[in-house]
Amino acid sequence: MKNSKRVLMKEVFKHFDGCSDSSALDFAVLSERAKTVFDNDAEIQATIPAPPILNCDENGLKEILMAPIASRTSSPLSKLIEQLGSSDWVRQGLGYLNNSDEGDCLCPFCQQKVSKELIKTLLDLYDDEYDKMLQKVNLAYEKLFKVKQEFEEYKSKCIDRLESYSGANDSAAVFRTFEYALGNLLESIKRKVREPSAEIKSIPLSNDYKGIVNYVEQINQRICQHNDIVNNRDKEKERIITDSWCVFTCQTLKDLLEPFKTDSDPLEKARLNLETSVLTQENNLKGVRRQLSDARWKAKCSTRAIEDINSLLQLVQFYS
């Protein structure tokens, strides 16, 4: 192709007519691919492990947080406490009650004497069923805290490799969103432990978890593309060269080449255009020749007329 404009033009039109769609390509993408394919030191890279499974029953946790945990006894005292919304307050106070066998106890809030019968009645409000429901809350917290630990361990192991492919800002943003949602959910469970009768709304984690999963999958796709390039170096070199021609002709030179795009050979079209121009010039030349011939004829006629006039003048002088 060196020093041959004809061969170069033929190659340009070949790729211009043969490239169906170059919109997904650009020289920046091709440059990144070329860095790998022409780097003889490039090696196969292991993919990044998938994030830990989100071991969290979000629907079940939502029900636990929204369901008020309160005494199920039907005693007048239970109904009064429920109407006053003091179930959690009374339960906390029982923990500070000095329940000894020696006489009456003192209320931890008002310091008045509390009889044994009242203490027993209060303790019966928070029966085994109440404790079981509270245990569910504690168990949910333990499971979710384990999820937090697993993700912290995963992040510490994989964050450096993730950042090497997409940058520190992208990686930090993806994990920060999930960690924020996870922290809020843990705080909601803690509040439920403190206030069992409260109805607490929760924000699901699944969307933020999918964000991490999709992020890691995208990075692994890039790693797989890198490995494919390394495993098929020769074919990939040819593909990069072909794609580069496609970008060059269909993007860089598109406006210049579009008028010549045709189903026939572009060289043939150029030849036909040239022949048309030659014929046009020949027709123009014939017209000029006709005009020149007419001018010459007129000039000859004028010369003859002048000679005839001169002859007459000479004849007139002779007779005079």
Side-chain angles (χ1 to χ4, degrees), residues 8 63 65-66 72 87 97 102 111-112 116 119-120 122 141 149 188 208 212 221 223 226 237 277 295 298-299 320:
L8 175 60
E63 292 179 0
L65 293 176
M66 287 297 295
R72 297 190 178 185
S87 176
L97 188 64
E102 301 177 358
Q111 298 300 310
Q112 295 185 21
K116 296 293 184 180
I119 293 176
K120 184 178 183 306
L122 291 174
Y141 181 85
Q149 291 177 320
S188 297
D208 297 316
I212 295 181
Q221 287 177 359
I223 293 175
H226 167 89
K237 286 180 181 179
S277 298
K298 289 178 180 180
S320 62

Side-chain angles (χ1 to χ4, degrees), residues 4 58 106-107 111 119-120 124 136 143 148 151 199 205 215 225 238 240-241 279 306 313 320:
S4 177
E58 292 189 301
L106 295 178
C107 173
Q111 298 300 310
I119 293 176
K120 184 178 183 306
D124 289 342
K136 288 183 178 180
K143 287 184 176 180
K148 180 176 181 291
F151 270 88
E199 297 180 3
L205 292 174
Y215 171 70
Q225 291 173 355
E238 295 178 2
I240 289 177
I241 293 173
L279 290 174
I306 292 172
L313 290 174
S320 62

Side-chain angles (χ1 to χ4, degrees), residues 259-275:
F260 296 95
K261 189 170 185 180
T262 176
D263 295 333
S264 61
D265 186 357
L267 293 178
E268 180 65 18
K269 180 177 181 179
R271 184 185 65 79
L272 293 174
N273 290 337
L274 183 59
E275 288 182 354

